[in-house]
């Protein structure tokens, strides 16, 4: 199979869909790999390293899309890329369609088969291709919050961990999943006063045991969230409903009652965000202010640390890329229901029920060929 990896074109996106080690594995299995020139430059990998692994370098994205049967990316295709997709071609990447009607419509119009990293499942119900980037975003969120809290950046001027004789910053993490746990881990390590909010009491008990009482836990209710965020210095939104738009847990009214100079970091922004005042931003212009509260809502947070992120991501995605290449999409999806859970668009229709519901589009379940 011909596998193509274009250079990412989203704002300040430096990750790449395959590293040379992955190319070597695929070529050894008899596949041809096309890499767009300089696709790996953002992670410090030059074209020569890909050639040494067995890839063919091409100059343009058009050559990738025209020549590849399977296109492997990191971020959702931009509309100009959607226009280069063709019927029967397979796209394997993050999609986050529930908050992106324009992309969903463009993918349907292309006739391509689009498999989303973020909805591929594991036998234990986890999301193996979302997990590594959730870990990166969670850990980054506390770095971002701590930096943005500095007075020169518009924040309150509070040191996250405080010093003896002063109070540490209050950090509220909404969601105790992978990204929320990663955020809590760094915030606790920086000696902040940390509270994690989750609707699962089982998960809160697990976190209490994991952190040995070094953080607080709170069951999720509107009253509890309002009480916590209005006293917080940093609020981190780490909420996930698989494939669907994130619920709005923090209302505009709650934001208006928060401290001026407090910081909100919305990791959930790829799925529409969990703050009512959230809107997508970029690494070029990452923050904005609502009612004196600084919002950081960058939709590709891990792109700021592309080398770490790319190697973490491709460690997880390579076995699935190989599966799709070895078997072809139809057989691979039939053989693995967990990979099939990643199918979001096929033959001009939405095949992910959560996406169809949130975008108010028709849902057509994928039928495995007999």
């Amino acid at each position: 199979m011909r596998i193509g990896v274009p250079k990412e074109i989203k704002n300040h996106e430096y990750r790449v869909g395959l590293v040379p080690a992955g190319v070597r594995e695929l070529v050894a299995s008899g596949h041809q790999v096309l890499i767009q020139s300089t696709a790996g430059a953002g992670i410090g990998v030059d074209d020569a390293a890909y050639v040494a692994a067995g890839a063919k370098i091409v100059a343009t994205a058009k050559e990738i899309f025209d020549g590849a049967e399977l296109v492997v990316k990191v971020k959702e295709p931009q509309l100009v890329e959607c226009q280069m997709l063709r019927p029967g071609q397979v796209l394997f990447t993050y999609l986050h369609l529930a908050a992106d009607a324009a992309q969903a419509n463009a993918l349907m119009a292309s006739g391509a088969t689009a498999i989303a990293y973020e909805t591929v499942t594991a036998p234990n119900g986890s999301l193996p291709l979302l997990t590594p980037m959730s870990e990166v975003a969670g850990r980054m969120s506390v770095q971002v919050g701590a930096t943005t809290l500095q007075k020169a950046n518009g924040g309150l001027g509070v040191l996250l961990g405080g010093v003896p004789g002063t109070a540490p910053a209050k950090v509220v993490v909404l969601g105790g999943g992978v990204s929320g746990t990663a955020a809590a881990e760094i915030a606790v390590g920086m000696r902040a006063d940390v509270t994690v909010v989750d609707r699962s009491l089982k998960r809160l008990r697990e976190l209490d045991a994991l952190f040995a009482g070094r953080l607080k836990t709170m069951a999720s209710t509107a009253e509890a969230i309002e009480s916590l965020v209005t006293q917080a210095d940093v609020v981190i939104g780490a909420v996930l409903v698989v494939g669907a738009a994130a619920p709005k847990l923090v209302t505009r009214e709650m934001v208006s009652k928060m401290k001026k100079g407090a910081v909100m970091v919305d990791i959930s922004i790829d799925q529409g965000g969990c703050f009512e005042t959230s809107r997508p931003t970029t690494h070029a212009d990452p923050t904005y202010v609502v009612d004196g509260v600084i919002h950081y809502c960058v939709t590709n947070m891990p792109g700021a640390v592309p080398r770490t992120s790319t190697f973490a991501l491709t460690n997880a995605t390579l076995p699935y890329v190989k599966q799709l290449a070895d078997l072809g999409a139809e057989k691979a999806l039939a053989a693995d229901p967990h990979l099939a859970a990643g199918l979001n668009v096929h033959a001009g229709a939405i095949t992910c029920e959560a996406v169809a519901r949130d975008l108010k589009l028709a849902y057509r379940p994928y039928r495995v060929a007999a």
Side-chain angles (χ1 to χ4, degrees), residues 229-240:
V229 302
T230 53
Q231 300 174 54
D233 300 298
V234 177
V235 179
I236 295 170
V239 179
L240 176 69

Side-chain angles (χ1 to χ4, degrees), residues 10 99 246 248 250 252 255 264-291 293-301:
K10 186 166 183 169
K248 305 298 183 187
V250 179
R252 179 175 289 275
V255 173
M264 305 180 79
V265 181
D266 198 342
I267 300 172
S268 306
I269 192 63
D270 274 337
Q271 297 292 133
C274 63
F275 311 143
E276 209 168 57
T277 46
S278 291
R279 58 176 173 80
T281 63
T282 67
H283 288 295
D285 189 16
T287 62
Y288 61 93
V289 179
V290 176
D291 292 332
V293 178
I294 305 171
H295 291 57
Y296 178 100
C297 302
V298 173
T299 56
N300 60 327
M301 285 179 65

